[in-house]
Structure formats: structure tokens, C-alpha cells
């Protein structure tokens, strides 16, 4: 067991985690995400301490091949004696077994890759071995916050892992009938949020603008009219999203278009929503997956704040080079990784 490994690493003066990943064809999308995850402090430590082995439950190691390979790769990135780039080919063999769409060496969408990878890792280290059975109790009579809590418990009774601890939050969507005022709410877990970019007549679009647009009330009318549960007929309704439970790691995907350039990533922003008193909490940016060029022929890089050194580095496949935080702020972004810093806990 390499339990002591990470402690000795942290004491070491040598910079660690600054190892590039070889491109195996057009696999920069994979390299970019792997570097963002390697710089995700808690996930890195989970791998360095081999904690995943304690979470395999009924799975034997052979059945957790993706997690094993991911942990091995992370360990290599953080313990490698030289800073020479390494090949992620053993890892790639496992991810394509889990998700055959990653077979071959073509360019793929980095965010989609992240979703499949986190899902695969979660399934292998899910602490739940027997899912509860029986019909789900009706929660509609409960106040919203209580319903949200119960829905979350129901989710955790089935999906409970280190990956869920870190990345999953809960989204509330409410639909209010403009006719009778009846409001129905639904709570869903989310692994990341895809943010559309608002059209702005002047000035730069900020990330906060994107979040505001995402959580703004939206009127559903005409062909989009939903059926009101109370009126039992199709009505004009107001729809709204709220973040009910903030994840520890918030992954934001920016839905950029040719006409709207992606917003600059702010170094931090407050975590707040009506239903959660988190006024002291802020999210701080620690990793970015950047996409340049066209959708099909583009190139992915990553910039990450090294959790041990606190400094930013740019990862362009095999090459790792230092960069300033002001460069990060002035650059475009595709997938943003934010960590929740709760001031009351510090
Ligand atoms: C990020 O991507 C943009 C294109 O979207 C590109 O112009 C820029 O050079 C990239 N930045 C870095 C630091 O890789
Ligand atoms: C990444 O490296 C390639 C090859 O050296 C270079 O052409 C490209 O400009 C680099 N991209 C970024 C965003 O730094």
C-alpha cells in the first residue's frame, strides 16, 4: 500500500504533477480532461492513497479495471522521477472497453469524455452493492426543501461514491401554471451544467451572465405549453432552474457559438441561490479545458492550478509549461472546473 506516498510527495520540494501526456493520434481531448482531473485535489489524493481499493465492495480488482488504470495513471503523473511525458495507452484501453465510442484515435468532445469517465469510475467504486427495492414514496405533499432532501437521500441510496461526493449536485426545476398558480417541482442530480451564452448588445459577457441566464425564469407558451397537473390541461407556464445543492466540484461547460465568443473564466464567484444560505462560500477556478479551432479539427489543451504549488501550468499534450493566472483570465474556456471553498470550514 502506498498510503504514505502522498505525504512524502507533499513534503518533497520537487514539482510533481507536471508530466505531459503523449498524444496517441487525436487524443488531446482525453489528455486535457485527464490533466484537469489529475489537478483535482481530492480525487488525486483518493488515487494516490489507493482509497478506491477499499471502495470496490463486491467488485474484485479485475472488475474495477478502469478505476485501477485511472489511479495508476494519476500516481505516475504525481510520482514520476522525471518530467518526461507518459503514454496514456493502458488507460485508453480501459476507457474504450467501458465506452466503445472512444475506440480509435479520432477527436472527440472533451466534456462528453469527462461524463463517460466519471460515470465509469463511479460505477466501479459505488459503495452501494444492493439497491433498495419497492415503490418510491410519494413526496409531492412535502415542502420543497424537504422534498429536495428526501430526493437526494433516495439518490444516495443507489449512487454513492467518492465521485458522487465530489462532482454531483442537485438541480431544482419548478413549473408554475400561469392560469391556476399550481407549482410542481422536480429535483434531479447533475454532474455538470451546460451554460448557454446570453446575447449582449454591448460589453463582454461574463460567466455570471451565463449562470443568470441559466437560472432565469422562462415562459413556456405555444407549442411548448406543458400540461398543468392541477388543471389537467396544457397551459402557459413559467419554468425556472435553481441549484438546490452545490457540488464540491462544479463543472461548467460553456455552450459557445460562432457568433458569441466564450466568456473569460473569473478566478472565483460566489455560490448562491435562494434555497441555500451559502453567502460565505465561493467557488474558485482550478482547471480549464480549452478548445481552439473548429469542432472537428480543433485542439484541446488544459490549464490547471497545481494543488501542491498553487501555480498555474499549461498542458498541451506532452508539453507542460508555467503560465500566469492573468493569462488564464484572458483566455477562452470550454470546460471549467471550480472548487467550493467554504469559508466557515476554514
Ligand atoms: C484557448 O483557446 C483559444 C481559442 O478558443 C485560443 O485562441 C487560445 O490560444 C487558447 N489558449 C491557450 C492558453 O491555450
Ligand atoms: C500546442 O502545441 C502545438 C505543437 O507544438 C502548437 O502548434 C500549438 O500552438 C500549441 N497550442 C497551444 C494552445 O499552446
Amino acid at each position: 500500500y502506498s498510503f504514505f506516498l502522498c505525504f512524502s510527495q507533499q513534503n518533497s520540494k520537487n514539482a510533481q504533477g507536471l508530466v505531459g501526456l503523449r498524444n496517441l493520434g487525436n487524443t488531446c481531448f482525453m489528455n486535457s480532461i485527464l490533466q484537469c482531473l489529475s489537478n483535482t485535489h481530492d480525487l488525486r489524493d483518493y488515487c494516490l492513497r489507493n482509497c478506491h481499493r477499499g471502495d470496490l465492495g463486491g467488485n474484485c480488482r479485475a472488475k474495477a479495471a478502469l478505476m485501477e488504470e485511472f489511479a495508476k495513471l494519476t500516481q505516475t503523473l504525481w510520482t514520476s522521477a522525471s518530467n518526461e511525458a507518459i503514454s496514456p495507452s493502458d488507460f485508453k484501453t480501459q476507457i474504450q472497453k467501458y465506452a466503445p465510442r472512444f475506440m480509435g484515435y479520432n477527436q472527440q468532445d472533451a466534456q462528453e469524455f469527462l461524463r463517460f469517465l466519471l460515470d465509469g469510475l463511479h460505477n466501479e467504486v459505488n459503495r452501494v452493492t444492493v439497491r433498495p427495492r419497492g415503490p418510491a414514496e410519494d413526496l409531492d405533499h412535502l415542502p420543497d426543501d424537504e422534498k429536495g432532501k428526501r430526493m437526494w437521500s433516495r439518490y444516495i441510496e443507489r449512487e454513492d461514491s467518492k465521485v458522487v461526493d465530489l462532482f454531483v449536485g442537485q438541480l431544482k426545476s419548478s413549473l408554475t401554471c400561469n392560469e391556476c398558480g399550481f407549482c410542481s417541482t422536480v429535483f434531479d442530480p447533475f454532474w455538470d451544467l451546460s451554460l448557454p451564452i446570453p446575447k449582449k448588445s454591448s460589453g463582454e459577457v461574463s460567466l455570471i451572465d451565463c449562470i443568470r441566464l441559466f437560472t432565469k425564469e422562462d415562459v413556456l407558451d405555444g407549442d411548448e405549453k406543458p400540461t398543468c397537473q392541477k388543471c389537467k390541461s396544457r397551459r402557459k407556464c413559467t419554468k425556472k432552474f435553481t441549484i438546490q445543492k452545490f457540488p464540491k466540484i462544479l463543472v461548467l461547460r460553456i455552450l459557445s457559438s460562432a457568433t458569441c465568443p466564450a466568456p473569460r473564466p473569473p478566478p472565483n464567484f460566489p455560490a448562491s441561490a435562494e434555497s441555500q444560505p451559502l453567502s460565505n462560500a465561493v467557488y474558485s477556478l482550478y482547471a480549464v479545458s480549452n478548445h481552439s479551432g473548429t469542432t472537428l479539427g480543433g485542439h484541446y489543451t488544459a490549464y490547471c492550478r497545481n494543488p501542491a504549488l498553487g501555480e498555474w501550468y499549461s498542458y498541451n499534450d506532452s508539453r507542460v509549461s508555467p503560465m500566469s493566472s492573468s493569462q488564464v483570465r484572458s483566455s477562452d474556456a470550454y470546460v471549467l472546473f471550480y472548487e467550493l471553498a467554504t469559508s466557515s470550514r476554514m
Side-chain angles (χ1 to χ4, degrees):
Y1 259 63
S2 42
F3 184 78
F4 294 107
L5 205 57
C6 57
F7 296 106
S8 55
Q9 287 311 317
Q10 279 166 358
N11 292 334
S12 144
K13 287 212 172 61
N14 292 334
Q16 299 286 342
L18 303 178
V19 175
L21 292 168
R22 257 182 242 140
N23 193 323
L24 307 173
N26 267 314
T27 55
C28 55
F29 69 93
M30 182 171 88
N31 292 348
S32 163
I33 291 297
L34 286 173
Q35 295 290 7
C36 292
L37 292 179
S38 159
N39 285 285
T40 300
H41 192 270
D42 285 2
L43 188 62
R44 178 201 66 158
D45 286 357
Y46 183 74
C47 294
L48 289 182
R49 291 173 193 174
N50 277 322
C51 294
H52 62 284
R53 293 200 182 144
D55 284 339
L56 296 186
N59 283 342
C60 59
R61 246 190 243 178
K63 284 207 182 123
L66 178 63
M67 185 71 230
E68 273 291 327
E69 234 18 276
F70 176 78
K72 219 163 84 186
L73 185 72
T74 307
Q75 288 167 7
T76 311
L77 291 175
W78 286 89
T79 59
S80 179
S82 83
N83 280 358
E84 206 167 300
I86 58 170
S87 164
S89 62
D90 289 348
F91 167 81
K92 187 175 179 294
T93 304
Q94 293 308 327
I95 188 70
Q96 69 197 28
K97 266 191 200 157
Y98 181 76
R101 62 166 62 204
F102 297 112
M103 211 95 82
Y105 299 93
N106 293 330
Q107 181 70 284
Q108 306 248 10
D109 183 85
Q111 187 264 347
E112 233 165 68
F113 170 76
L114 174 68
R115 280 293 277 277
F116 275 95
L117 174 55
L118 291 182
D119 187 62
L121 297 177
H122 160 69
N123 281 322
E124 290 184 352
V125 295
N126 194 350
R127 297 169 190 126
V128 176
T129 46
V130 184
R131 291 195 163 90
R133 292 202 205 172
E137 174 200 356
D138 182 27
L139 305 174
D140 283 343
H141 60 285
L142 296 173
D144 278 358
D145 282 354
E146 187 56 30
K147 186 176 167 186
K149 276 189 197 137
R150 297 274 200 98
M151 287 301 287
W152 182 255
S153 313
R154 201 180 270 179
Y155 181 70
I156 294 300
E157 280 169 16
R158 289 165 177 77
E159 316 297 338
D160 182 16
S161 69
K162 185 69 183 178
V163 182
V164 171
D165 294 348
L166 294 178
F167 292 92
V168 183
Q170 191 186 40
L171 197 64
K172 167 180 164 183
S173 17
S174 49
L175 203 58
T176 310
C177 175
N178 287 20
E179 194 94 7
C180 73
F182 179 77
C183 177
S184 67
T185 51
V186 177
F187 294 88
D188 291 304
F190 68 89
W191 293 63
D192 53 45
L193 298 177
S194 291
L195 302 179
I197 298 183
K199 288 196 174 65
K200 237 182 158 185
S201 48
S202 66
E204 217 171 74
V205 172
S206 75
L207 183 63
I208 306 297
D209 294 330
C210 301
I211 294 173
R212 280 207 191 105
L213 176 67
F214 178 76
T215 55
K216 175 179 145 288
E217 287 191 345
D218 203 11
V219 175
L220 303 178
D221 200 3
D223 286 350
E224 290 184 302
K225 266 193 223 165
T227 302
C228 168
Q229 284 174 27
K230 201 164 178 199
C231 301
K232 310 270 183 232
S233 108
R234 292 184 65 192
R235 297 282 193 231
K236 182 171 161 181
C237 287
T238 305
K239 185 182 156 191
K240 182 170 168 50
F241 287 125
T242 317
I243 298 173
Q244 180 76 11
K245 183 183 187 301
F246 285 92
K248 194 151 192 244
I249 305 292
L250 179 63
V251 178
L252 301 177
R253 172 198 185 200
I254 309 296
L255 297 173
S256 198
S257 73
T259 50
C260 309
R264 309 284 180 230
N268 52 53
F269 67 88
S272 59
E274 304 106 76
S275 52
Q276 207 153 357
L278 272 176
S279 48
N280 291 332
V282 288
Y283 273 107
S284 64
L285 183 74
Y286 72 91
V288 177
S289 173
N290 189 32
H291 182 256
S292 51
T294 62
T295 324
L296 294 173
H299 183 57
Y300 283 100
T301 55
Y303 3 110
C304 311
R305 193 180 60 211
N306 183 293
L309 305 167
E311 277 152 21
W312 286 86
Y313 290 86
S314 144
Y315 297 83
N316 183 359
D317 289 329
S318 310
R319 284 166 297 273
V320 183
S321 41
M323 72 188 280
S324 70
S325 53
S326 62
Q327 266 176 296
V328 174
R329 270 188 300 256
S330 67
S331 199
D332 288 349
Y334 175 52
V335 185
L336 301 166
F337 291 73
Y338 280 91
E339 185 178 30
L340 185 65
T342 311
S343 47
S344 57
R345 257 202 242 146
M346 284 161 127

